[in-house]
Amino acid sequence: MPPRAPASSRISLLVSDIDGTLINGHKEVTPATLAAIAKLREAGVRLCLVSSRSVRGMQMYMHAIGNDTPSAGLNGGEIVDAGGTVLETQSLDADVARLTVETLTTNHVDAWAFTGREWLIRDIAAPYVPRERKAVQFEPTVVDSFEPYIDRIGKIMGATTDYPLLERMEIELQTMLGDRVSSRRSSPWYLDVTHPLANKGRAAHRLAALLGVDPSEMACIGDMDNDISMLSTASLSVAMGNAPEQVAASAHFLTGTNEQDGWAEAVETLILPRAAGRAVGET
């Protein structure tokens, strides 16, 4: 990684990933996290959520935290205001979507497609379908082909139990399609392929702009490869303790894991001391 500027001493906005970060392994927002969110509000620090999930799949967490800010789903492929009105979308080019599906399928990786409100699958018995149903709390639509939806796909997700294969697919698709896609794993078993402008780094900066927050006052926190684009550009960035080495290397700070209330720890020790322009160490 190139040398990083020192972390900002003034934070007005925290942009947070959800899975593996804001929530624990049981997909819960813990009491400690809710308490930390309340302290952020008291300190005047805004909180925005950005996720590889569709906005529809983020809804339960928006409600849980009393969301009052814009949010970004599909790694930035859809951005909505606090009321859920869509402000912008980024869809894959049709030929790119076809080639991505073909490449994943040829390599025996299940391909799913997301169009905003819809989660499209071709095999209801695929290994990770039950897990995703529980996570997003809505049902997939089973289709014979993605072709009727091909010009409005915001994200293609590859899912497999073969983690090394998925890591290779991440690199292969990015190399093959170049600047026409953003290819990043959101977990060891999920690979997200989105429009190149649908990445969390750009999404975080768009959310800051919508709130009128200067990027120099934006902090970001996350745990996976698809979070690197925001962690590496944030004025203060925090990697979760459960983050892989390459993700941790992209951040200013490392906190506890999502099973150890690491999110709340980061807020208490790193964000709140910098709220409202207070320098670290001030009372």
Side-chain angles (χ1 to χ4, degrees):
M1 296 293 296
R4 293 294 305 276
S8 175
S9 62
R10 178 184 177 92
I11 296 299
S12 299
L13 169 66
L14 174 60
V15 178
S16 176
D17 171 49
I18 295 178
D19 293 276
T21 301
L22 182 76
I23 60 177
N24 63 19
H26 298 291
K27 305 299 182 183
E28 301 165 334
V29 182
T30 68
T33 295
L34 289 173
I37 291 170
K39 290 181 181 180
L40 284 176
R41 287 200 175 95
E42 292 170 7
V45 177
R46 310 298 295 276
L47 171 63
C48 288
L49 301 183
V50 59
S51 177
S52 65
R53 293 168 177 249
S54 66
V55 169
R56 184 180 181 187
M58 297 166 63
Q59 291 295 325
M60 69 287 285
Y61 301 115
M62 294 178 184
H63 295 320
I65 69 172
N67 183 72
D68 60 356
T69 57
S71 305
L74 302 181
N75 293 325
E78 55 178 349
I79 296 178
V80 300
D81 66 15
T85 299
V86 177
L87 302 177
E88 64 178 70
T89 61
Q90 304 288 344
S91 297
L92 288 163
D93 290 343
D95 59 332
V96 169
R98 290 189 187 97
L99 188 53
T100 299
V101 170
E102 178 184 336
T103 301
L104 293 173
T105 303
T106 299
N107 284 275
H108 308 290
V109 176
D110 292 312
W112 303 341
F114 292 82
T115 64
R117 298 290 301 173
E118 299 165 301
W119 164 30
L120 308 172
I121 65 173
R122 295 176 298 180
D123 180 8
I124 194 67
Y128 284 106
V129 169
R131 183 190 190 106
E132 189 69 5
R133 283 163 119 171
K134 183 177 180 181
V136 302
Q137 296 184 21
F138 68 88
E139 291 298 308
T141 299
V142 181
V143 297
D144 293 327
S145 168
F146 297 135
E147 195 59 32
Y149 312 87
I150 204 68
D151 59 351
R152 54 190 177 94
I153 293 175
K155 180 179 76 169
I156 293 172
M157 179 183 282
T160 180
T161 57
D162 188 338
Y163 301 171
L165 170 61
L166 203 63
E167 186 174 1
R168 293 196 300 274
M169 287 292 95
E170 176 184 31
I171 297 168
E172 180 176 325
L173 283 166
Q174 191 68 69
T175 301
M176 179 173 65
L177 296 169
D179 60 6
R180 303 183 72 189
V181 299
S182 173
S183 174
R184 288 286 188 175
R185 282 169 297 150
S186 56
S187 74
W189 48 88
Y190 288 156
L191 170 63
D192 298 337
V193 181
T194 59
H195 188 280
L197 295 181
N199 66 79
K200 290 190 179 183
R202 180 180 181 275
H205 283 268
R206 289 290 298 123
L207 294 171
L210 289 168
L211 292 172
V213 173
D214 190 281
S216 67
E217 298 182 13
M218 179 180 71
C220 295
I221 182 168
D223 75 304
M224 272 302 296
D225 289 55
N226 62 330
D227 296 314
I228 290 175
S229 60
M230 69 175 183
L231 296 179
S232 60
T233 59
S235 293
L236 185 153
S237 53
V238 185
M240 298 296 293
N242 44 289
E245 183 178 350
Q246 70 275 13
V247 179
S250 70
H252 287 106
F253 301 104
L254 190 67
T255 188
T257 72
N258 66 322
E259 298 295 346
Q260 301 168 323
D261 280 321
W263 195 94
E265 176 191 333
V267 168
E268 293 278 0
T269 62
L270 298 170
I271 308 301
L272 290 175
R274 292 169 165 85
R278 291 199 306 266
V280 177
E282 283 188 8
T283 59

